[in-house]
Amino acid sequence: MSTIALHNLTKRFGTLTAVDDIDLEVSAGEVLCLLGPSGCGKTTTLRMVAGLETATAGDVVIGGERVNHLTAAQRNVAMAFQFYALYPSLTVADNLAYPLHAEPIAEAERDRRVAQVAEVLELTHVLRRLPGQLAEGEKQRVSVGRAIIRDPNCFLFDEPLSRLDVQLRETMRGQIKEVLSNLKKATVIVTHDQFEALTMADRIAVMRDGVIEQVASPHDIFAKPSNIFVASFIGTPQMNLIPATILEPTQGVSNFDIGSQHIAIALKHRLRPGDRITLGIRPRSFELVAQQGPETILADVDLIEPMGAETLFHLAMQDHELRVVVDRARRASVGERLAVRFRPEHTHIFDANQQLMQP
Amino acid sequence: MAWRKRREIGKAGWGWTGFAGIISFIYFFPVLWIILTAFKSNADVLSVPPKFLFTPTLENFVSVFRRSYIPGQAAVDTGFDLFFFNSIYIAGTSVALALVIGTLAAYGFSRYPLRGNDTYMFIILTTRMLPPIIVIIPIFLMFRLAGLSGTYTGIIALYTAFNLPFTIWMMKSFFDELAPDIEDAGRLDGSSERRVFFKICLPQVRAGLAATAVFGLILTWNEFLFALLLTGIDTRTIPVAMAQTIGGDIGVRWGLLAAIETLFLIPVIVVVFALQKHLLRGVTFGTIKR
Ligand SMILES: Nc1ncnc2c1ncn2[C@@H]1O[C@H](COP(=O)(O)OP(=O)(O)O)[C@@H](O)[C@H]1O
Ligand SMILES: [Mg+2]
């Protein structure tokens, strides 16, 4: 079975802890995206799985077997590097064929596999070229091709699309997803781009400072971020995070103090009056209403950013900024005062430790 | 690389091209003068003012290999065929050895650094910091004691040792430039460390090998002082033999010397032209585009 499991995996470089005691399981055929800001330890994690970096502590288990003691060459793992790492002195065809050198197969069979992979990745016309003569997108496809030409235990991709331009990135996202779905192997894709993660992954692991903050499906990561970091990292425009103080409830409705305004939302959370919390609301979850009510706050339009089909309003509420996305038909002028309604089903509450509170 | 577009913008105009031509000519003039002299008869060599137009003759080249030492006597072999062989054999072998040992050492220094790696690299270089004349006496004594004076083994070992620091420093800088990810990719693709070195690293530093080989060859080819003291009659190299050709009863035979020098130039020119494609990339060091 092609699976990957990491147990208490830790990597220190001197005093710096790049990867801090992480646990992760990837099942056969599953695509897991390791998502996090630059420098959070994604590449280091991948390199430990591949055997290019020795773990300071913890275990790497591939296909049910603990592989800590095996070298990279012995682990039978395929990896596509962030900067492609193509062999500069070999042609594209030889680059693709290189991983097969260790396998006892006939030359005809090898050529057939190269031709097949080149076909899938549309590289047939550049097979005779050297890597230095390729466009960025072609290099990227060669690096993917070199990974999938063998039949390894699992696949690792380090920011496979980060160096492509926006359009190419979109087509490649779909293409890689299609290729991977046919391979039925445990796959880890590292990325710092949430769209890549949300579109390609079966599950997403959000990482920060060497720690995995949450592992969940793309839907759950978006709908139920387990803490403020994940909430603010996923989704654009960023989720609004509004500090608030809990007031005495009235008839099953929770009351909050936001700066100088009060707000009443019908929430099922058990809240203790006096506690300080953070309200998390996505910019698309607000509603602009004509009438002020207990569920609304007032804010002034500060900046208007058209985004095509929608418009992003930056609203000023005392010293706080509120991002609200509305249909582009909704017009407003700078300085106008708007009433914004909170909707209970779309309001996340984070406690003083920044963790999501369950209703 | 036919697909690469020829540079049009910023192409040098005639003025600059002419200027570069004049500078090149000034540099090349001594070499040109030697080559012309080699084809002159003795009378033409000594004529004042110097002649640029003359009837070329090959007599100097013949006398390099066979001539009479005392006027009137029959011509005898000068032994220069052996000296040419010696120069090629000694320089070629010692540069090849230095390249093999030095490249392996440089890879080690680059990829498996020792504690205090830089100190070792510095110590390696110190052996080339002293002027050769200062170390010649201890080395001469060591060679006498070891019975290496006048042997091929001795002079080849010495030249190898002299070429090593330079080779190690050059090759280390080339290995340092390589992207480590490419080697890691090789490891993941199932390559042993030996295969990573031979199949992945070495092909990427071909330009560096060529540049290092050429510099080493030129230095070794022209070396005079150690060759003078440490080679015997059988192992003599051209620079020493050339020096011994100066003098004699009838004064310096400039035409003969120029002929030796012209022949002496040929191997260097052949090697440089053969490696030129790599050389131009090699000497630009880190600016190689990946
Ligand atoms: N070989 C190394 N030596 C020292 N520090 C390293 C090394 N590799 C990575 N690091 C550090 O570990 C941290 C995580 O790096 P990395 O895994 O490359 O992050 P990411 O891939 O998420 O951008 C960074 O702070 C980086 O500087
Ligand atoms: Mg990285």
Side-chain angles (χ1 to χ4, degrees):
Chain A
M1 282 296 273
S2 156
T3 59
I4 305 170
L6 311 180
H7 302 306
N8 307 105
L9 198 64
T10 299
K11 178 70 190 184
R12 286 190 206 94
F13 294 109
T15 54
L16 176 97
T17 306
V19 175
D20 194 0
D21 197 22
I22 65 170
D23 286 277
L24 205 58
E25 308 246 347
V26 190
S27 52
E30 186 184 30
V31 175
L32 181 113
C33 267
L34 207 50
L35 174 66
S38 176
C40 71
K42 307 180 297 288
T43 299
T44 307
T45 307
L46 221 53
R47 288 172 61 84
M48 283 192 284
V49 177
L52 297 170
E53 211 81 70
T54 319
T56 311
D59 291 328
V60 176
V61 178
I62 296 175
E65 186 197 349
R66 186 173 169 274
V67 295
N68 289 29
H69 57 287
L70 296 183
T71 65
Q74 293 165 331
R75 287 190 193 188
N76 194 18
V77 166
M79 178 163 166
F81 287 79
Q82 184 173 3
F83 301 108
Y84 310 141
L86 305 180
Y87 308 122
S89 43
L90 301 182
T91 62
V92 170
D94 290 340
N95 261 280
L96 290 175
Y98 191 92
L100 301 176
H101 75 83
E103 294 177 25
I105 54 171
E107 203 167 319
E109 165 68 4
R110 202 185 58 203
D111 293 347
R112 195 189 61 74
R113 301 248 295 259
V114 169
Q116 187 193 350
V117 166
E119 175 89 43
V120 171
L121 294 169
E122 292 164 33
L123 289 167
T124 312
H125 61 293
V126 295
L127 279 177
R128 296 276 140 250
R129 291 206 203 148
L130 290 172
Q133 304 163 333
L134 297 180
E136 205 72 4
E138 290 163 342
K139 285 186 200 167
Q140 192 268 344
R141 296 207 296 278
V142 177
S143 89
V144 171
R146 202 173 54 181
I148 64 174
I149 197 159
R150 290 189 296 149
D151 185 35
N153 285 327
C154 54
F155 290 104
L156 310 173
F157 293 86
D158 195 356
E159 313 227 2
L161 307 179
S162 65
R163 304 218 303 168
L164 305 183
D165 58 50
V166 178
Q167 276 197 332
L168 206 50
R169 219 182 269 198
E170 273 174 22
T171 40
M172 281 312 295
R173 271 206 306 250
Q175 223 174 341
I176 289 189
K177 194 172 176 171
E178 195 185 315
V179 168
L180 290 178
S181 67
N182 294 329
L183 293 171
K184 306 268 182 285
K185 302 275 178 182
T187 302
V188 180
I189 301 180
V190 158
T191 177
H192 65 261
D193 179 344
Q194 50 171 307
F195 287 111
E196 253 166 72
L198 292 168
T199 52
M200 295 199 292
D202 295 321
R203 279 192 307 149
I204 296 176
V206 179
M207 207 169 170
R208 171 174 63 160
D209 293 342
V211 176
I212 289 186
E213 298 280 357
Q214 186 175 8
V215 187
S217 69
H219 177 270
D220 285 354
I221 283 269
F222 189 81
K224 296 176 208 153
S226 68
N227 58 44
I228 286 184
F229 173 76
V230 177
S232 61
F233 194 71
I234 306 271
T236 45
Q238 228 181 30
M239 183 188 270
N240 292 288
L241 295 161
I242 308 159
T245 309
I246 301 169
L247 304 173
E248 288 294 338
T250 48
Q251 294 147 13
V253 176
S254 314
N255 292 307
F256 301 95
D257 179 11
I258 307 170
S260 62
Q261 300 193 42
H262 287 196
I263 186 165
I265 319 175
L267 293 170
K268 296 195 187 71
H269 299 69
R270 269 195 265 129
L271 302 167
R272 278 210 325 254
D275 281 0
R276 301 196 57 82
I277 49 114
T278 303
L279 296 171
I281 303 106
R282 300 240 177 244
R284 286 186 179 78
S285 304
F286 283 117
E287 220 179 328
L288 297 185
V289 289
Q291 284 291 311
Q292 204 192 345
E295 284 189 346
T296 65
I297 53 166
L298 291 174
D300 303 327
V301 178
D302 203 20
L303 183 71
I304 299 172
E305 258 185 81
M307 303 194 301
E310 298 167 318
T311 306
L312 171 61
F313 288 173
H314 294 261
L315 308 179
M317 182 192 75
Q318 283 89 49
D319 53 352
H320 221 80
E321 194 208 57
L322 223 52
R323 291 173 298 277
V324 180
V325 172
V326 295
D327 192 273
R328 75 189 164 100
R330 179 67 171 86
R331 304 275 173 165
S333 48
V334 171
E336 193 178 331
R337 177 154 293 197
L338 299 176
V340 182
R341 191 169 82 94
F342 287 63
R343 290 193 286 185
E345 70 275 23
H346 287 139
T347 303
H348 308 269
I349 296 193
F350 300 99
D351 64 19
N353 296 323
Q354 309 206 337
Q355 301 302 310
L356 183 72
M357 292 179 76
Q358 299 299 333
Chain B
M1 305 199 179
W3 61 278
R4 195 179 284 173
K5 229 173 77 181
R6 260 186 84 91
R7 225 172 72 141
E8 285 298 338
I9 306 163
K11 209 172 164 187
W14 285 113
W16 286 110
T17 309
F19 182 65
I22 292 166
I23 300 286
S24 310
F25 183 75
I26 294 172
Y27 265 86
F28 188 64
F29 185 76
V31 181
L32 182 70
W33 188 248
I34 292 291
I35 294 172
L36 289 177
T37 307
F39 289 96
K40 287 178 182 174
S41 66
N42 226 5
D44 287 338
V45 169
L46 297 172
S47 83
V48 181
K51 280 190 180 174
F52 283 90
L53 293 173
F54 55 90
T55 323
T57 164
L58 286 177
E59 72 181 46
N60 289 323
F61 290 94
V62 175
S63 344
V64 171
F65 297 100
R66 277 185 78 79
R67 67 171 179 272
S68 58
Y69 286 89
I70 299 158
Q73 281 198 351
V76 293
D77 278 342
T78 56
F80 258 87
D81 42 359
L82 175 69
F83 303 149
F84 268 106
F85 167 79
N86 287 346
S87 264
I88 292 171
Y89 175 59
I90 291 169
T93 312
S94 55
V95 168
L97 274 174
L99 219 51
V100 171
I101 301 168
T103 302
L104 289 170
Y107 188 70
F109 279 118
S110 176
R111 292 299 187 274
Y112 308 97
L114 302 161
R115 246 172 237 278
N117 207 40
D118 292 347
T119 314
Y120 287 99
M121 288 298 289
F122 176 76
I123 287 173
I124 287 169
L125 201 61
T126 56
T127 60
R128 291 310 301 268
M129 284 179 181
L130 295 173
I133 194 80
I134 295 189
V135 290
I136 191 88
I137 293 171
I139 288 180
F140 184 71
L141 290 174
M142 283 160 71
F143 267 58
R144 287 299 288 272
L145 285 174
L148 289 170
S149 283
T151 65
Y152 284 127
T153 315
I155 194 73
I156 287 172
L158 185 77
Y159 281 166
T160 304
F162 269 28
N163 274 318
L164 266 175
F166 173 70
T167 308
I168 294 173
W169 272 77
M170 283 280 282
M171 291 315 299
K172 177 170 182 287
S173 80
F174 281 101
F175 284 126
D176 287 348
E177 283 288 317
L178 299 184
D181 275 358
I182 296 175
E183 287 148 57
D184 285 340
R187 293 188 180 100
L188 280 171
D189 288 342
S191 301
S192 61
E193 289 305 311
R194 179 199 299 248
R195 204 180 148 92
V196 166
F197 175 72
F198 283 107
K199 294 281 175 189
I200 294 173
C201 290
L202 266 195
Q204 291 184 72
V205 296
R206 271 186 302 213
L209 286 171
T212 311
V214 164
F215 287 134
L217 272 175
I218 291 175
L219 284 178
T220 314
W221 187 248
N222 290 322
E223 206 285 326
F224 173 73
L225 189 62
F226 287 98
L228 177 69
L229 288 166
L230 299 175
T231 57
I233 186 76
D234 296 336
T235 54
R236 185 148 301 160
T237 58
I238 297 285
V240 179
M242 210 171 351
Q244 288 168 344
T245 307
I246 303 175
D249 300 338
I250 54 167
V252 179
R253 290 187 59 184
W254 296 111
L256 174 64
L257 269 182
I260 298 173
E261 279 162 17
T262 304
L263 292 174
F264 186 63
L265 271 176
I266 292 172
V268 179
I269 291 173
V270 167
V271 169
V272 170
F273 267 89
L275 296 178
Q276 194 176 33
K277 198 184 90 197
H278 298 299
L279 207 56
L280 287 176
R281 293 178 55 211
V283 291
T284 52
F285 291 96
T287 61
I288 305 165
K289 274 247 177 78
R290 269 192 282 270

